[in-house]
Amino acid sequence: MGKVTLIDRRENEHSIDARAVNSKEARELYKKREQIYPKLAHGTFRNLKWVAMIVLLAIYYVTPWLRWDRGLGRPDQAVLVDFEGRRFFFFFIELWPQEVYYFAGLLILAAFGIFLSSALFGRVWCGYACPQTVWTDLYIYVERWIEGDRNERMRLARAPFSLDKARKKISKHAIWILIAAATGGAWVFYFADAPTLFRAIFTGQAGVAVYLFVGLLTFTTYALAGTMREQVCTYMCPWPRIQAAMTDQHALSVTYRADRGEPRGPHKKNESWEGRGDCIDCRQCVAVCPQGIDIRDGDQLECINCALCIDACDEIMAKVGRPKGLIAYDTHVNVEKRQRGEQAGIRLIRPRTVLYAVLMTVVGAIMLFALLTRSTLDLNVIRDRSPPFVRLAHGGVRNDYTLKLINMAPRARRIRIAVSGLDGAHFIANGHSVEADGAIEVEAQADGVANVRVHVAAGAERGSHPIRFEITDTETGETATSASAFFAGNAP
Amino acid sequence: MADKIERDDHSGTDTTGHEWDGIKELDTPLPRWWLYIFYASIVAAIIYWVLMPAWPLANGYTRGLLNWSDRRNVAAEVQTLESSRAPMFERLAHASSSDLARDPELQEFARAAGESVFGDNCQTCHGAGGAGAPGYPVLADDVWIWGGSMDEIEHTLRVGIRSGHPDARLSMMPAFGRDRLLTDAQIGDVTEHVIAVSSARTRLPPDMRAAARGALVYQEQCAVCHGATGAGDRATGAPSLNDDLWLYGGSRAEIRRQIELGRGGVMPSWEQRFDAGTLRALAYYVHQMGGGEPDAGPPSPVAPAAGAPAPAIDQGQDEGATGNATP
């Protein structure tokens, strides 16, 4: 192999001995994993990836430490998932368990978001924002810092065991584990008061669950970003498999412009470019690829569209004096059009992208409206089902209901409960005092749910009748209503 | 099976030789670490067989080296649970009903404990939520044969009805038909009278002449227990006949049948089965079902709703008929 490389070098000074791991020849039953040593790329997309990495990691690590004053006795963490108190705090928003539809809304938004981004720019999520990409990139950065770039790393891997090799390997894995621990450590801060938990973790005061999750996430971060890397994308992640449904022939994705590159082959200085393609087959695009693939084989499941091959190719094109963009964000349609000699173009505004954008706007607007108009008082009515109804000695029928008064305000309130919608329906006292106007008054604790079981009596007319409960804050007048049914069965 | 391994031109991968509707399965390589994880799973399974109970045998099962037993673990957990609840039951046993009324924590405990005990022991006859069944009184309504205050309910639970307990509650309705105490005609007349004094008269129009004859028989034979007007008597457990709730069914034939046969139900005495705390919890739960009456203490601050019939709490009533209570 060394000999071949030498010949290549003589013919093509930029050539490198890199082979795609998913090439047809490399396949066998139960494939042994082929280590990939991505070379450092320089250029626009590499810089974009550095920025994305720094911003996303910063958001992840800093968010739990942001404070938000919610008053005495309430958490002052800006973003907090409080499982014990069954609340979710997000800056000025406080969500209760029954409001999980906001999360459904968020998931819908996220789904349309990824549809839209896929329809516009292909797998940008995979290439720049996916945690697997971000952490793997960080881990490769550490690896490169300690062991050097591609060639040095390959040499080190082949080198016999030595003190220097051990030093490098141990320090690399040590830093990886530190990063992994910091990752797992940051995750638990989203679920408890960060400064308190931080102290507790280091003084051994935190609960078993905390250490368990830190340990688990440390292990998964280390295993996935450190050792598994591209295997996660290729064998574990479902996204590449449903990708085909998300993009179309107009979506921009990292594309080798075969129309311009072929026929490829080595090129000597001062040789004419006539009658040949711009690709000099230097394999720099393969060498920089963290997925270890050859983009010139076309769109592939393994490709995460990180565009590092674009940077690598652009650099070579500049060196050999050809225009940049042999590999670029482009579409299949354009490649085919250029091959036919037609004018290529990019269509970002298409029915598909417009629809996604409109749907996102609609869902976002609905959520915003719901959020701005949400009440701090809510009522759920649960009709008791056993028995479905009870006949009373002096005629009439009684139904029982369990009312859940949800007081989302941070203060105790006196709540008045009234029943309406059915003639003659009235509360029967059993543990509650019925007021002169037929209503019941109860105390609802601050920031909690009050369970009130009430008995309602009415005439014994057969069948099911609609009935309404209304609760009113006696001070502010805020109300909430809930509909239920009054059931008299087939009583005579 | 294909004799020759076929290669898919497009992907360059061999096929497995399996074909469905023209679609061939590619023999795509798996990563080797997957294979290793599969082997590791087999090893883990074998280790599990050795350590934990696993294989069924003719007369038992392999116990495993760790001597693990879920049954024993559950027994230990139940023991822990019971000892952790014991102090609350102790408090409950010594709490009067007015103590209970002032203590929300104790109320919540009594409600939960009572619900659980009721579900295990009472629900079979009295139905979920005290819905009752023909012959088994409805506990969720507003009528009580023996009294509906918490103390009365607890007493009924303690001694039972015709339970063999020395203080058991007894009510003896004679079988006027079977024992030939009354003639068929007299029974028919009394049936008409009973319907005439009950609020069932609107749905079962009585024969007024027969009812008038029956009234004389009633005063002789029935008024001793059920009272001259049919209002019933809690002291003897004689149900009220004035309402339209019938323990053994409210049709004309069912009412007549009760006069003929004089049936009476049996309820076990629970004094031996439950400690004082559990009995109190059960009494509280039954009282809370909806039909409970206040204790003979200060009157409850009940104000009738404006324009609506007064909340129906009254004395000496029959139990609810449930023959047609199921929709």
Side-chain angles (χ1 to χ4, degrees):
Chain A
M1 198 175 267
K3 211 174 175 186
V4 177
T5 315
L6 274 177
I7 293 166
D8 275 351
R9 286 254 167 80
R10 221 172 297 138
E11 285 180 15
N12 182 353
E13 58 187 294
H14 303 295
S15 177
I16 193 164
D17 180 31
R19 197 169 60 100
V21 299
N22 67 344
S23 67
K24 290 172 185 176
E25 293 69 34
R27 292 182 190 172
E28 56 180 306
L29 190 67
Y30 297 119
K31 193 161 140 66
K32 186 165 180 279
R33 192 230 181 144
E34 212 169 311
Q35 190 62 45
I36 295 165
Y37 302 93
K39 188 168 177 280
L40 178 62
H42 303 275
T44 319
F45 294 104
R46 180 62 266 182
N47 293 338
L48 202 59
K49 264 173 83 75
W50 289 134
V51 172
M53 183 208 278
I54 291 164
V55 169
L56 292 170
L57 287 175
I59 291 173
Y60 177 71
Y61 285 111
V62 171
T63 303
W65 297 91
L66 300 177
R67 301 289 103 184
W68 192 269
D69 186 21
R70 292 192 182 86
L72 205 65
R74 293 165 61 72
D76 63 350
Q77 189 157 320
V79 177
L80 178 66
V81 183
D82 181 4
F83 273 119
E84 224 163 286
R86 290 177 199 162
R87 299 281 187 283
F88 173 68
F89 299 97
F90 186 84
F91 296 95
F92 62 97
I93 303 169
E94 178 190 334
L95 294 184
W96 282 52
Q98 74 272 17
E99 296 175 303
V100 286
Y101 49 78
Y102 283 108
F103 292 100
L106 274 183
L107 287 177
I108 292 168
L109 268 186
F112 283 130
I114 205 161
F115 293 174
L116 180 62
S117 73
S118 295
L120 291 174
F121 308 117
R123 287 167 67 180
V124 280
W125 166 261
C126 293
Y128 299 89
C130 172
Q132 174 67 16
T133 293
V134 170
W135 263 273
T136 301
D137 219 20
L138 180 64
Y139 271 47
I140 293 175
Y141 174 81
V142 171
E143 188 172 75
R144 190 180 292 125
W145 178 53
I146 291 171
E147 298 182 358
D149 207 1
R150 176 180 162 87
N151 290 339
E152 285 172 84
R153 295 212 295 279
M154 290 169 85
R155 213 175 304 131
L156 186 70
R158 278 196 300 270
F161 177 80
S162 71
L163 216 59
D164 187 50
K165 183 169 176 172
R167 182 188 63 79
K168 283 182 172 166
K169 292 282 176 197
I170 290 171
S171 44
K172 177 180 82 174
H173 286 281
I175 295 175
W176 278 1
I177 288 171
L178 272 179
I179 294 173
T183 306
W187 182 255
V188 295
F189 292 149
Y190 284 85
F191 299 88
D193 183 57
T196 315
L197 186 61
F198 187 77
R199 263 193 303 280
I201 286 175
F202 284 99
T203 53
Q205 307 286 308
V208 180
V210 170
Y211 291 113
L212 201 74
F213 272 97
V214 172
L216 188 74
L217 292 163
T218 304
F219 171 74
T220 50
T221 308
Y222 172 72
L224 298 184
T227 64
M228 314 231 2
R229 294 184 183 173
E230 81 289 346
Q231 303 266 299
V232 175
C233 310
T234 309
Y235 297 106
M236 293 176 161
C237 180
W239 183 238
R241 282 151 184 86
I242 48 176
Q243 181 69 30
M246 300 294 118
T247 62
D248 56 26
Q249 70 273 29
H250 297 291
L252 286 173
S253 68
V254 175
T255 307
Y256 166 64
R257 287 168 167 162
D259 59 298
R260 187 185 133 190
E262 301 297 319
R264 69 181 83 153
H267 176 260
K268 282 190 204 121
K269 254 182 191 166
N270 305 323
E271 209 176 49
S272 163
W273 289 93
E274 279 301 314
R276 56 157 296 145
D278 281 354
C279 177
I280 60 168
D281 205 11
C282 65
R283 299 186 184 174
Q284 293 292 343
C285 54
V286 181
V288 296
C289 180
Q291 298 294 102
I293 61 165
D294 189 340
I295 189 64
R296 296 171 302 171
D297 292 344
D299 255 3
Q300 292 150 79
L301 178 147
E302 290 89 343
C303 178
I304 58 170
N305 270 237
C306 65
L308 293 181
C309 49
I310 300 181
D311 280 345
C313 189
D314 280 352
E315 210 175 355
I316 296 295
M317 287 298 110
K319 278 182 185 166
V320 300
R322 301 297 295 169
K324 289 182 175 185
L326 174 57
I327 304 172
Y329 271 104
D330 206 348
T331 69
H332 295 294
V333 179
N334 283 350
V335 171
E336 283 166 16
K337 274 185 175 170
R338 276 193 295 266
Q339 270 168 345
R340 290 195 300 267
E342 292 168 26
Q343 182 69 39
I346 291 162
R347 280 182 61 208
L348 289 183
I349 298 170
R350 309 193 300 273
R352 187 182 179 116
T353 56
V354 170
L355 179 68
Y356 290 151
V358 167
L359 286 172
M360 281 179 78
T361 315
V362 169
V363 173
I366 291 172
M367 281 177 67
L368 195 67
F369 178 78
L371 209 56
L372 292 176
T373 56
R374 76 197 266 271
S375 147
T376 58
L377 191 64
D378 202 1
L379 172 67
N380 289 340
V381 176
I382 303 161
R383 208 181 151 278
D384 288 6
R385 283 160 195 281
S386 58
F389 64 95
V390 171
R391 291 174 53 207
L392 299 173
H394 288 271
V397 170
R398 197 192 79 204
N399 279 206
D400 298 341
Y401 304 86
T402 303
L403 309 184
K404 290 192 180 285
L405 275 52
I406 303 161
N407 178 12
M408 291 185 251
R411 60 178 193 285
R413 303 204 260 194
R414 255 203 104 62
I415 304 291
R416 161 179 291 268
I417 309 169
V419 58
S420 64
L422 177 62
D423 277 348
H426 62 279
F427 289 120
I428 301 179
N430 186 24
H432 305 290
S433 48
V434 178
E435 307 282 308
D437 62 353
I440 291 174
E441 267 190 29
V442 294
E443 188 83 12
Q445 290 305 307
D447 216 13
V449 180
N451 275 302
V452 182
R453 188 158 179 268
V454 297
H455 312 292
V456 175
E461 202 182 320
R462 286 163 188 251
S464 175
H465 311 280
I467 191 169
R468 269 191 102 64
F469 292 92
E470 180 171 293
I471 57 173
T472 313
D473 183 330
T474 50
E475 273 171 50
T476 66
E478 194 179 347
T479 66
T481 61
S482 184
S484 189
F486 185 92
F487 189 54
N490 54 1
Chain B
M1 272 293 288
D3 295 333
K4 203 173 73 162
I5 292 172
E6 191 186 355
R7 177 170 271 233
D8 173 59
D9 284 337
H10 188 72
S11 65
T13 308
D14 294 339
T15 73
T16 58
H18 305 157
E19 185 181 332
W20 295 270
D21 293 340
I23 297 169
K24 286 173 188 162
E25 184 185 35
L26 292 182
D27 200 7
T28 305
L30 276 176
R32 189 158 285 169
W33 53 264
W34 265 27
L35 186 70
Y36 292 151
I37 287 174
F38 176 59
Y39 292 151
S41 308
I42 294 174
V43 172
I46 293 168
I47 294 171
Y48 188 90
W49 296 346
V50 175
L51 294 180
M52 301 289 282
W55 289 97
L57 303 173
N59 56 349
Y61 56 91
T62 57
R63 309 246 158 206
L65 295 179
L66 290 184
N67 197 27
W68 175 271
S69 162
D70 269 333
R71 185 176 291 271
R72 208 171 48 235
N73 296 345
V74 168
E77 275 172 30
V78 168
Q79 190 60 48
T80 316
L81 196 66
E82 275 173 3
S83 52
S84 77
R85 284 177 182 167
M88 281 303 274
F89 276 117
E90 192 62 24
R91 258 175 77 190
L92 199 53
H94 294 101
S96 71
S97 47
S98 55
D99 290 340
L100 198 52
R102 282 193 299 268
D103 190 340
E105 188 196 11
L106 205 54
Q107 283 172 20
E108 183 48 34
F109 181 80
R111 195 202 56 73
E115 185 174 6
S116 144
V117 176
F118 186 89
D120 287 348
N121 298 282
C122 317
Q123 196 163 309
T124 323
C125 295
H126 288 288
Y136 301 98
V138 178
L139 303 178
D141 63 11
D142 59 345
V143 293
W144 297 88
I145 298 176
W146 298 98
S149 69
M150 244 188 78
D151 291 342
E152 289 288 0
I153 293 169
E154 195 175 324
H155 185 71
T156 308
L157 287 168
R158 277 182 188 282
V159 301
I161 292 161
R162 284 176 281 273
S163 60
H165 188 282
D167 297 328
R169 297 195 132 150
L170 300 169
S171 57
M172 296 289 193
M173 165 112 179
F176 289 101
R178 192 180 58 211
D179 294 344
R180 309 218 174 279
L181 303 174
L182 294 175
T183 65
D184 277 358
Q186 283 174 315
I187 289 171
D189 292 345
V190 172
T191 305
E192 293 307 313
H193 173 72
V194 166
I195 290 170
V197 299
S198 78
S199 36
R201 63 182 170 272
T202 50
R203 60 181 178 89
L204 300 172
D207 176 346
M208 289 317 290
R209 282 172 50 199
R213 292 195 299 274
L216 299 173
V217 183
Y218 179 89
Q219 294 305 335
E220 241 167 63
Q221 302 286 350
C222 316
V224 183
C225 293
H226 288 287
T229 59
D233 181 7
R234 284 185 175 184
T236 58
S240 159
L241 303 176
N242 297 147
D243 54 32
D244 192 14
L245 303 180
W246 308 87
L247 185 50
Y248 289 94
S251 73
R252 183 174 258 108
E254 282 165 338
I255 294 168
R256 183 189 164 105
R257 201 160 167 71
Q258 178 60 8
I259 299 169
E260 284 173 337
L261 300 179
R263 290 167 294 190
V266 174
M267 174 163 133
S269 149
W270 298 98
E271 202 170 43
Q272 304 301 316
R273 293 270 307 268
F274 300 141
D275 59 37
T278 309
L279 281 170
R280 181 71 41 86
L282 197 51
Y284 178 80
Y285 177 69
V286 172
H287 189 261
Q288 283 296 301
M289 264 171 187
E293 293 169 359
D295 273 316
S300 82
V302 175
I313 294 175
D314 63 358
Q315 303 295 311
Q317 292 297 326
D318 166 29
E319 283 299 328
T322 51
N324 55 2
T326 319

